[in-house]
Amino acid sequence: MESKSVMDKKIEDLLSQLTLEEKLGMIHGDGLFCTKGVERLDIPPLKMSDGPMGVRNEFEKDKWIAVGNSDDYVTYLPSNSALSSTWNRELAYRMGQVLGEEARGRGKDVILAPGINIKRSPLCGRNFEYMSEDPYLTKEEAVPLIQGIQESDVAACVKHFALNNQETERLWVDVEIGERPLREIYLPAFYDAVKRGGAYSLMGAYNKVRGEHCCQSHYLLDEILREEWKYDGTVISDWGAVHDTAEAAKTSLDIEMSVTDNFDEYCLANPLYQEIQEGRIAKSFIDSKVRRILRMMERLHMLGGERKSGCYHTPGHRQTALETARESIVLLKNEDQRLPLQRKNIKKLLVIGDNGERIHSNGGGSAEIKALYEISPLLGLKSMLGGNTEIKYVRGYCPDTKEEPGEVNWQEASLNAGNGTKDNLAKDSALQEKRNKLRKEAVEAASEYEEVLFIGGLNHDYDVEGYDREDMILPYGQDEVIRQVLKANPNTVVILSAGAPVEMKSWVNEAKALVWNWYAGMEGGTALAEVLLGEVNPSGRLPETFPKTHLDCPATRLGEFPGKEKVCYREGIYVGYRYYDTFEIEPQFCFGYGLSYTEFTCGNLEISDNSSAFPVSVSLDVKNTGEKSGKEVVQLYVRCLEPKEERPYQELKGYEKVLLDPGEEKRICFLLDESSFHYYDEKQGDFCIEPGRYEICIGKSSRDICQKKEINIVI
């Protein structure tokens, strides 16, 4: 890439030639997913696309109407929740490469991904698009994903900055939060995304923070992002997140986008022109925005450079989707070694559940994908068992009856009031009667089959943009189906597909085997079948705590969720396992948890003697003591033993995923820098380290610590 001085000279030269009208055309939408270019200066329009799980289908320029051609089928990738469940940085990087190549292949300049908002509550409707409750795990998966995207001359647009943790009243809810949790929990992944990941762009959030809309926030955009972090990339609004011309113009927002086709009426369009002409807003604000846009374009080689070409839905991309799906699956229970199924002994197999044959790619809101194909669990099983097993499918339960779609696209109406929560109660007697019939059919069939799989969970009626859940209860009466099926056949394997935790307490003790499967992309059904049949050893680990009920969640117990006009994050730093581990609240399944078809041990933990200098070196041996090859996730937690300031019980500060054959042993090394021991001191307005005793804990999860050793930090 050319030097900064050469780039700056080129940008200033272009800037000097632009008229005010041309500059304004570059800082607001001129289409639903593009800005206006300047043809006379060879400045192209900026083309964007949604893309957490793949490049979205093509719409008409100014209408939410799909073009409908066959040239926008793409690779459907596992969700960000699935990716973080792999605990695999290399897969994150490869998935980023796929997103970048496919976005470039589709002619896009910016892919609106990844989503890295912290999972504050399990009820948030967009949690499936996000990664984790933990800032360290989030940033470690996000950084290589961003780097992979941008290799193809495509800008990652990291979203949503910041505190976008609910869908209820998402355009207007005002977040009240202390400075310490903001800095320790909600901002670190964004910081690393721009500092280590080098993200070329960032998306502002819908909500307010301390009274300011995020896309007009002087504190977030000017003080933190530009002044503290020295970020010189492009800030793009979420679609419809700008509400005031003067505020948006005078902050560090660069591009305003929205869902409506009145492009000249956007805040940064004609209204801004009028404000400038009447002398109320200085032209220098617009120059700063255009300068940052041109800088991003130059980094993408859009201004006369030699730009990389892309490709999409290639065999290599599909292979990455498959490998990511394989490592995302989490084995939660496996009593009596119920899994893997012995395929040679299976003559008849019963599959129960709507998710067994449901397609998920075409839902969820702006995460929807026009997938080249999607392998359902039923298809994956039938393909692998090859006709030697008779497979019967019964639905078991059914979703609510869908209303006929109206003329207005959901996204066009998404700025209207009314986003909120969805309940899971069937209010229609005919629907309830149908569900009773389906349940009875499933229970009768379960009693007749030796091998039974129940495949249920959530779908994009509930994991969806614009709505939160009221509770964690499985919808459509699934709990009763599972209870009765387990009673009829205690060996039934329960598989749940979802983007967020669900309640399991009414039946989980009766289930011998339980598998968690996220929205795992186009090869999700293949990967699931491989795990169930033992072709792949499961290695996914939970990137978030699964509470027994949403009432155990700190956002509900200590803070507010979803709040009303305001939402108070009174739980502070106690988000996720930081809360459950500190206050000894028993979850259903803890953070970092996941089983394997083999066994691993850790030993010989050693820590460098020099505790007065960083980095601190930590090493240990990991051994596969079982009979199958597998991957273990070695997790490192740091615990302050005698804190003078309030601290969580422990915090994740390192992890490594290692492949081991039976009997094989490898030595794993970690380097811990200052950030592994610091906390944010609100009085000093900075991160600080307390000298004293710390414990380095090595575990298989936050609740399964197998090695620990004390260290004294001298400052």
Side-chain angles (χ1 to χ4, degrees):
M1 184 177 288
E2 62 189 343
S3 68
K4 189 172 182 180
S5 60
V6 173
M7 180 190 294
D8 289 344
K9 184 178 183 302
K10 183 175 183 179
I11 289 169
E12 294 304 318
D13 181 56
L14 282 171
L15 192 62
S16 68
Q17 299 179 61
L18 287 165
T19 67
L20 176 60
E21 290 83 355
E22 288 170 336
K23 292 174 184 176
L24 291 176
M26 293 176 64
I27 67 172
H28 70 83
D30 184 51
L32 296 175
F33 284 102
C34 68
T35 59
K36 188 177 288 185
V38 183
E39 189 173 355
R40 70 180 184 87
L41 296 177
D42 294 324
I43 299 174
L46 200 61
K47 298 177 182 178
M48 302 171 244
S49 178
D50 285 310
M53 295 188 287
V55 189
R56 199 174 178 186
N57 63 285
E58 211 68 42
F59 291 97
E60 293 184 7
K61 181 181 177 182
D62 58 355
K63 299 291 181 187
W64 292 102
I65 299 174
V67 172
N69 295 336
S70 62
D71 59 351
D72 56 355
Y73 286 98
V74 296
T75 303
Y76 169 37
L77 291 163
S79 65
N80 282 344
S81 292
L83 173 63
S84 60
S85 189
T86 71
W87 294 60
N88 188 323
R89 298 176 181 88
E90 175 62 25
L91 281 176
Y93 171 69
R94 287 175 55 192
M95 208 166 100
Q97 287 181 310
V98 173
L99 267 178
E101 288 177 1
E102 300 222 344
R104 191 71 215 102
R106 287 274 305 280
K108 309 302 179 186
D109 308 307
V110 180
I111 188 77
L112 308 178
I116 63 171
N117 294 102
I118 294 298
K119 298 187 181 186
R120 177 177 177 252
S121 166
L123 304 183
C124 176
R126 295 188 81 171
N127 274 355
F128 74 98
E129 295 185 54
Y130 302 147
M131 291 186 169
S132 175
E133 68 188 22
D134 180 70
Y136 181 81
L137 177 57
T138 299
K139 68 186 184 181
E140 289 300 300
E141 296 298 309
V143 165
L145 180 66
I146 293 163
Q147 293 169 338
I149 289 171
Q150 296 188 164
E151 280 187 357
S152 293
D153 289 343
V154 170
C157 187
V158 182
K159 60 186 187 183
H160 308 86
F161 189 68
L163 300 163
N164 187 199
N165 305 114
Q166 66 183 64
E167 292 299 282
T168 305
E169 293 296 332
R170 62 179 181 163
L171 270 71
W172 300 101
V173 68
D174 190 0
V175 176
E176 288 190 355
I177 185 172
E179 197 66 14
R180 185 179 175 190
L182 176 66
R183 300 286 186 156
E184 286 189 20
I185 305 296
Y186 297 97
L187 291 187
F190 286 102
Y191 178 83
D192 274 46
V194 301
K195 286 294 189 180
R196 285 202 295 138
Y200 294 154
S201 66
L202 182 150
M203 182 188 292
Y206 277 128
N207 51 284
K208 294 179 180 180
V209 174
R210 298 172 183 169
E212 293 182 312
H213 271 105
C214 290
C215 289
Q216 305 164 183
S217 171
H218 292 276
Y219 183 59
L220 287 177
L221 300 186
D222 298 335
E223 294 181 31
I224 294 178
L225 188 64
R226 301 299 189 190
E227 294 173 22
E228 285 187 34
W229 298 357
K230 309 300 180 186
Y231 183 60
D232 65 356
T234 303
V235 177
I236 303 169
S237 80
D238 206 339
W239 269 233
V242 177
H243 303 275
D244 184 275
T245 294
E247 289 298 315
K250 293 177 181 179
T251 54
S252 293
L253 176 75
D254 298 316
I255 298 174
E256 177 192 5
M257 300 299 293
S258 193
V259 300
T260 56
D261 60 3
N262 56 335
F263 307 115
D264 291 337
E265 297 174 23
Y266 286 10
C267 291
L268 297 186
N270 287 346
L272 178 55
Y273 180 83
Q274 190 70 26
E275 293 286 298
I276 294 171
Q277 293 298 97
E278 295 176 5
R280 287 188 289 271
I281 295 177
K283 294 180 182 178
S284 58
F285 287 113
I286 286 73
D287 286 348
S288 295
K289 299 176 192 301
V290 174
R291 187 177 287 115
R292 289 188 288 262
I293 294 167
L294 289 172
R295 184 179 293 117
M296 181 175 71
M297 286 184 166
E298 184 65 11
R299 286 168 171 162
L300 298 177
H301 305 109
M302 294 175 65
L303 303 177
E306 185 175 341
R307 198 170 186 193
K308 292 181 181 177
S309 60
C311 53
Y312 53 111
H313 61 64
T314 69
H317 292 175
R318 299 194 286 275
Q319 184 65 26
T320 294
L322 174 59
E323 292 179 26
T324 306
R326 286 169 174 163
E327 294 199 23
S328 73
I329 296 169
V330 187
L331 180 61
L332 295 176
K333 284 190 73 175
N334 196 24
E335 294 177 1
D336 303 330
Q337 293 185 316
R338 184 73 191 87
L339 291 174
L341 302 176
Q342 303 304 309
R343 60 189 300 172
K344 292 182 180 179
N345 300 329
I346 305 174
K347 301 303 180 185
K348 296 171 65 178
L349 174 67
L350 175 66
V351 177
I352 302 170
D354 183 77
N355 271 354
E357 56 101 37
R358 177 170 287 271
I359 299 300
H360 296 286
S361 54
N362 56 1
S366 59
E368 66 188 14
I369 297 298
K370 188 176 177 180
L372 183 66
Y373 63 82
E374 180 179 350
I375 305 295
S376 69
L378 185 62
L379 177 56
L381 287 163
K382 286 194 171 185
S383 178
M384 281 201 66
L385 290 172
N388 287 334
T389 300
E390 176 192 327
I391 299 178
K392 180 178 180 178
Y393 171 74
V394 295
R395 200 173 184 193
Y397 66 91
C398 65
D400 300 335
T401 304
K402 289 279 190 180
E403 294 181 3
E404 289 298 317
E407 294 182 1
V408 179
N409 176 276
W410 73 266
Q411 194 145 3
E412 189 173 352
S414 65
L415 303 187
N416 298 335
N419 288 336
T421 56
K422 283 192 173 184
D423 64 48
N424 59 12
L425 301 176
K427 300 178 176 67
D428 182 88
S429 58
L431 178 61
Q432 190 59 55
E433 185 177 340
K434 181 179 180 181
R435 287 181 181 162
N436 291 339
K437 182 179 179 181
L438 290 173
R439 181 176 66 246
K440 182 179 179 182
E441 178 189 16
V443 173
E444 288 177 354
S447 65
E448 299 170 359
Y449 277 73
E450 184 177 350
E451 293 290 359
V452 180
L453 306 177
F454 176 87
I455 306 178
L458 302 178
N459 56 39
H460 288 310
D461 288 348
Y462 289 89
D463 282 318
V464 64
E465 179 177 354
Y467 293 92
D468 298 318
R469 290 187 289 162
E470 284 193 341
D471 52 44
M472 287 171 49
I473 297 172
L474 280 168
Y476 318 131
Q478 290 179 75
D479 284 321
E480 187 60 28
V481 179
I482 297 172
R483 282 194 296 267
Q484 292 192 25
V485 166
L486 284 170
K487 187 175 181 180
N489 190 325
N491 287 323
T492 298
V493 176
V494 179
I495 301 123
L496 297 178
S497 297
V502 298
E503 277 193 23
M504 310 176 192
K505 58 185 179 180
S506 66
W507 50 261
V508 69
N509 291 335
E510 280 66 53
K512 292 182 179 179
L514 175 59
V515 176
W516 187 266
N517 189 37
W518 308 90
Y519 300 115
M522 64 198 308
E523 288 286 353
T526 304
L528 179 61
E530 290 176 330
V531 167
L532 294 175
L533 296 170
E535 298 294 319
V536 169
N537 195 342
S539 63
R541 303 292 184 264
L542 292 181
E544 59 190 288
T545 306
F546 279 25
K548 293 182 178 180
T549 166
H550 74 284
L551 298 175
D552 289 341
C553 172
T556 301
R557 265 192 160 184
L558 305 179
E560 293 178 338
F561 187 92
K564 295 181 180 178
E565 292 84 9
K566 289 188 177 182
V567 56
C568 298
Y569 287 27
R570 284 189 289 263
E571 71 277 9
I573 58 174
Y574 296 109
V575 177
Y577 71 89
R578 286 169 170 78
Y579 169 72
Y580 298 100
D581 292 353
T582 303
F583 297 100
E584 299 181 338
I585 306 299
E586 189 67 27
Q588 193 69 68
F589 295 104
C590 67
F591 177 80
Y593 176 79
L595 301 175
S596 171
Y597 293 151
T598 190
E599 298 292 332
F600 301 95
T601 59
C602 297
N604 299 320
L605 175 63
E606 294 182 354
I607 303 176
S608 59
D609 294 331
N610 189 358
S611 58
S612 60
F614 295 101
V616 174
S617 176
V618 179
S619 61
L620 70 147
D621 294 328
V622 186
K623 184 174 183 179
N624 183 343
T625 58
E627 299 178 353
K628 296 182 179 181
S629 296
K631 293 184 178 182
E632 174 66 302
V633 178
V634 183
Q635 301 165 37
L636 187 153
Y637 297 85
V638 173
R639 181 185 176 197
C640 184
L641 292 176
E642 297 172 338
K644 296 180 178 62
E645 299 290 337
E646 189 175 20
R647 305 288 288 266
Y649 178 79
Q650 61 185 2
E651 297 181 278
L652 180 73
K653 296 297 180 180
Y655 65 89
E656 291 295 334
K657 193 166 194 176
V658 56
L659 172 64
L660 295 169
D661 290 327
E664 186 179 6
E665 185 175 72
K666 289 183 181 178
R667 192 146 187 88
I668 303 298
C669 298
F670 299 94
L671 292 176
L672 305 180
D673 61 14
E674 292 93 331
S675 68
S676 301
F677 301 90
H678 71 198
Y679 73 97
Y680 189 83
D681 188 317
E682 293 186 347
K683 294 178 182 177
Q684 296 189 38
D686 202 355
F687 284 95
C688 303
I689 299 176
E690 279 190 87
R693 296 167 54 231
Y694 288 80
E695 202 167 52
I696 307 301
C697 305
I698 303 297
K700 299 180 179 182
S701 72
S702 73
R703 295 288 180 104
D704 186 2
I705 303 299
C706 50
Q707 290 270 292
K708 56 186 177 182
K709 200 166 189 177
E710 191 175 309
I711 182 174
N712 190 53
I713 297 295
V714 179
I715 303 300

